[in-house]
Amino acid sequence: MSFYEAQDLFFSYQEKPILQGVNLSVEEGCIVSLLGENGTGKSTLMKLFLGLLTPEKGTIVLKNRALQSYSIKERALHVSYVPQSTQIAFAFCAFDIVIMGRIAFESWFKKASQADIQIAQSSMERLGIAHLAKRTFQTLSGGEKQLVLIARSLAQGAKILVMDEPVSGLDYGNQLRLLETILHLSKEGYTFLKSTHFPEHALMLGGYTYALKNGHVLAHGETSETITQELINELYNTDIALKQTTCGYPVCVPAFVQMKE
Amino acid sequence: MVKQSLLFGSIIALLIVSMAVSLCLGRYEISMKTLMHFLEWKWFYLGDTPHNATLLENILFDIRLPRILCVVLVGAALSVSGGAFQAMFVNPLVSPGILGVLAGASFGAALGIMIAKNWFGVQLFAFTFGFVAVLVALGVAKIYGKSGSTMIMLVLGGVISSSLFSALLSVVKFMADPYDKLPTIVYWLMGSFSAVDMKILASVSMPLLLSTITLSLMGKYLNVLSLGDDDAKALGVRVTWVRNSAILLATLLSTLTVVAAGMIGWVGLIIPHIARFLVGADNRILLPMCALLGAAFLVIVDTLCRTAMSIEIPIGIATSLIGIPIFILALKNAKKGFA
């Protein structure tokens, strides 16, 4: 029984191999974090999971069916994409962005139905951003933009959210609030596949972690067991120590600030 | 919302008034009162038969009305296809000619003038080569489409195709008989509605009307396309299909305008700007506004072309000369824009 799974994926960009035999399994309701240096193929892997790219070899299975056998509309029912705060050229208001989540299910040439408008409104309410509806997207803060894009995914109705570095560009407070939102939604049954540059964020969210290096999975498993001092240092070529706080929570301490004990 | 309906209402009123005024003006001037009287008599059987009913009927319905209707359709078509291309390429400097359609249609028309026996042949050549030019652009984009961005490849394809057909147009001009064919080609390329009659109107009106309406209604899909291909696909939109349909419709519209009236520049570039300044960038509202505004603008310009001087001014020249100051003003005030 595979919920959402990549089997032996190969992919390359113009002869340059990116992924070389990646296996990755996402379980329903789980948060899966992808770790790895810049350019290790995290984004590529996520695009393959979204069906935006086609693997050279290997398959992606969604609910026991090959992802490629889904129509684009069917796929949108199950999987949605939360991009890094998108560059949006036109001055759309937040609500216009959210209701775009319904586009595949609206009828051609017709205005959005009352039901679609309802769905868009309630998904904004769920994230506590209903008051932003009339604001122009460009005038929102980075954190608000991310919430609007998540609301769009909720409106789309897909229970799996694929997020490309959701916290990039956010200030510290917004980063924490966004992670809390993700945790909250996962408890409601949403599934997350997300890439991150912060091992600590993966630790905060728990779930599963896959560490990618040179197109291979270096380590994977439950986050608390997978992310070790050795893994982080190997993955990022750093010198850190993973220490337990008094309440048992692990934190990374770089060598250059480590105090002598 | 109220503000928007008011705006649409006033542009529709502007369009109707300018059409009515345009009906009255010309070599034979008809007063608004006479026009009203005549229409009441004609449509509602009210009042006495006007003393010059046959003459009025001839001037209004056989000569001026077909031309004005054609102007309305062409103005709307150029503006909507310009607006749609600007949305698709997410670039405000794009005009309907971006994929080479205008260059192709111009070359086709010039070639038609050289070798075709009649005006129908000229129109057929213009129409065919408009599409050929876009196919060349798409073909170039397709060859190199695998590497790099689709949009940039399309733009480059368009540049290549435009240059190719401009060069071919020059070849035709160079070879054309300088006393007979060359002036015809040159005048034709300046654009004019003076040749429009019922026959031309009948052949271009339906496809123009239908494509303009269809493209205007594609706004919400164009909105999603402007987020980028990946985003749009993940939202469940068949990006390639939507883009190709929009390109097909915009190409059809542009070639038909060339078929009906030759080259008319600027309308497809400036009207979407002014419309965006009025109603913002949401294509669901922007494209219908483009259609109305473009129609009204071209009716006014065409009326000036017919009446300002004793000879008719080529409309392609007039749209540029009148369009440029308007464009500068619009740019100065453009705050909503692409922001």
Side-chain angles (χ1 to χ4, degrees):
Chain A
M1 174 72 192
S2 45
F3 179 66
Y4 197 25
E5 197 171 272
Q7 294 159 352
D8 201 28
L9 279 193
F10 281 79
F11 190 83
S12 42
Y13 277 120
Q14 294 164 4
E15 321 282 291
K16 186 176 170 257
I18 305 286
L19 301 175
Q20 303 169 61
V22 169
N23 290 295
L24 195 159
S25 169
V26 181
E27 278 171 43
E28 189 164 9
C30 219
I31 300 172
V32 173
S33 301
L34 291 177
L35 292 179
E37 286 177 307
N38 286 328
T40 41
K42 299 189 296 293
S43 296
T44 306
L45 185 56
M46 285 193 292
K47 282 186 178 176
L48 287 162
F49 265 98
L50 285 162
L52 299 175
L53 296 172
T54 313
E56 262 158 41
K57 235 181 86 185
T59 45
I60 290 172
V61 176
L62 172 62
K63 300 192 174 165
N64 290 322
R65 243 178 84 193
L67 187 67
Q68 279 170 317
S69 74
Y70 285 75
S71 76
I72 186 164
K73 190 170 153 178
E74 230 182 332
R75 197 174 67 209
L77 271 173
H78 296 287
V79 187
S80 72
Y81 178 41
V82 183
Q84 289 185 33
S85 33
T86 318
Q87 285 299 319
I88 293 178
F90 295 110
F92 294 125
C93 72
F95 184 78
D96 285 342
I97 303 277
V98 174
I99 203 157
M100 282 181 191
R102 300 301 308 161
I103 190 146
F105 317 112
E106 291 170 8
S107 45
W108 267 84
F109 299 131
K110 276 218 194 120
K111 277 189 177 172
S113 70
Q114 210 52 44
D116 288 327
I117 292 173
Q118 278 282 309
I119 291 171
Q121 268 164 356
S122 73
S123 52
M124 289 187 91
E125 277 158 21
R126 274 173 82 178
L127 298 177
I129 52 166
H131 61 288
L132 301 177
K134 294 269 172 249
R135 291 264 303 275
T136 309
F137 188 77
Q138 280 85 353
T139 66
L140 301 177
S141 75
E144 290 167 337
K145 282 180 182 169
Q146 276 294 325
L147 289 177
V148 168
L149 293 172
I150 294 174
R152 186 182 73 180
S153 286
L154 299 188
Q156 190 176 327
K159 300 287 266 181
I160 304 169
L161 277 73
V162 177
M163 304 178 99
D164 197 357
E165 289 170 29
V167 299
S168 72
L170 301 193
D171 67 42
Y172 187 65
N174 278 326
Q175 286 187 1
L176 295 185
R177 278 186 284 275
L178 191 74
L179 293 172
E180 203 185 340
T181 305
I182 292 173
L183 207 54
H184 196 73
L185 287 171
S186 96
K187 286 193 180 124
E188 288 179 22
Y190 283 91
T191 307
F192 288 88
L193 172 63
K194 65 173 196 64
S195 62
T196 180
H197 283 309
F198 301 98
E200 283 146 315
H201 289 173
L203 286 166
M204 286 178 203
L205 293 178
Y208 287 82
T209 291
Y210 280 78
L212 287 184
K213 185 151 188 160
N214 300 329
H216 296 279
V217 174
L218 191 65
H220 71 96
E222 284 204 32
T223 301
S224 53
E225 289 163 16
T226 311
I227 297 186
T228 59
Q229 183 173 318
E230 292 72 32
L231 178 80
I232 294 173
N233 286 333
E234 192 185 343
L235 206 54
Y236 295 108
N237 196 19
T238 51
D239 187 4
I240 62 111
L242 198 61
K243 307 232 170 180
Q244 301 282 327
T245 56
T246 45
C247 61
Y249 182 75
V251 285
C252 299
V253 186
F256 62 86
V257 293
Q258 276 166 35
M259 313 253 265
K260 295 223 170 65
E261 285 176 39
Chain B
M1 250 3 219
V2 179
K3 204 184 134 218
Q4 236 161 45
S5 333
L6 207 69
L7 204 58
F8 270 92
S10 35
I11 302 293
I12 291 170
L14 173 70
L15 176 60
I16 293 170
V17 169
S18 49
M19 284 171 75
V21 170
S22 185
L23 267 177
C24 291
L25 294 180
R27 189 65 52 81
Y28 183 92
E29 238 167 77
I30 297 165
S31 73
M32 203 48 105
K33 213 173 132 197
T34 320
L35 175 71
M36 286 304 161
H37 180 196
F38 176 74
L39 291 181
E40 276 171 10
W41 169 78
K42 172 97 182 146
W43 289 340
F44 305 111
Y45 309 107
L46 292 172
D48 312 321
T49 310
H51 66 278
N52 50 357
T54 330
L55 178 69
L56 283 179
E57 170 116 24
N58 184 268
I59 291 178
L60 291 174
F61 286 110
D62 296 342
I63 299 174
R64 289 190 191 156
L65 192 64
R67 175 172 181 153
I68 292 169
L69 289 178
C70 192
V71 171
V72 166
L73 288 171
V74 166
L78 282 171
S79 311
V80 169
S81 65
F85 272 133
Q86 289 181 2
M88 237 182 307
F89 288 94
V90 201
N91 186 333
L93 293 177
V94 164
S95 67
I98 178 92
L99 293 179
V101 55
L102 295 180
S106 304
F107 162 73
L111 189 67
I113 291 170
M114 284 277 281
I115 60 177
K117 298 273 187 295
N118 50 29
W119 275 105
F120 177 74
V122 175
Q123 291 171 346
L124 198 66
F125 269 99
F127 186 80
T128 311
F129 277 97
F131 271 89
V132 169
V134 171
L135 286 180
V136 168
L138 295 179
V140 171
K142 184 103 188 160
I143 295 171
Y144 300 106
K146 284 241 156 126
S147 54
S149 142
T150 335
M151 278 302 152
I152 290 172
M153 285 301 151
L154 271 178
V155 173
L156 286 176
V159 169
I160 290 169
S161 174
S162 289
S163 314
L164 171 67
F165 284 97
S166 303
L168 291 177
L169 174 63
S170 299
V171 172
V172 173
K173 279 181 179 169
F174 181 70
M175 298 193 337
D177 172 4
Y179 296 102
D180 173 26
K181 304 276 185 186
L182 186 58
T184 317
I185 293 174
V186 170
Y187 282 123
W188 196 85
L189 288 178
M190 290 178 188
S192 171
F193 285 95
S194 57
V196 171
D197 54 15
M198 257 313 172
K199 237 171 79 190
I200 294 182
L201 181 67
S203 63
V204 297
S205 58
M206 266 305 145
L208 272 179
L209 191 65
L210 289 179
S211 317
T212 303
I213 291 173
T214 315
L215 197 54
S216 300
L217 291 176
M218 282 180 75
K220 67 178 179 187
Y221 294 95
L222 293 175
N223 279 352
V224 174
L225 279 200
S226 76
L227 303 183
D229 286 10
D230 283 352
D231 244 26
K233 277 183 199 162
L235 287 170
V237 173
R238 285 185 290 169
V239 170
T240 318
W241 198 86
V242 171
R243 183 180 294 134
N244 287 346
S245 334
I247 288 176
L248 179 73
L249 287 169
T251 303
L252 184 64
L253 286 175
S254 308
T255 36
L256 285 173
T257 67
V258 180
V259 165
M263 283 279 271
I264 301 172
W266 272 89
V267 179
L269 179 62
I270 58 164
I271 295 297
H273 268 278
I274 297 168
R276 203 174 290 115
F277 167 62
L278 290 175
V279 297
D282 184 346
N283 292 300
R284 289 171 299 181
I285 302 156
L286 178 69
L287 293 180
M289 180 49 98
C290 282
L292 291 174
L293 209 57
F297 173 76
L298 209 60
V299 168
I300 294 169
V301 175
D302 183 57
T303 311
L304 283 173
C305 286
R306 282 198 292 127
T307 53
M309 295 204 294
S310 56
I311 55 154
E312 184 166 330
I313 307 165
I315 193 162
I317 297 174
T319 49
S320 302
L321 289 181
I322 298 169
I324 287 167
I326 295 180
F327 190 43
I328 291 171
L329 280 177
L331 279 186
K332 186 174 161 259
N333 293 317
K335 294 220 171 70
K336 285 186 180 172
F338 271 63

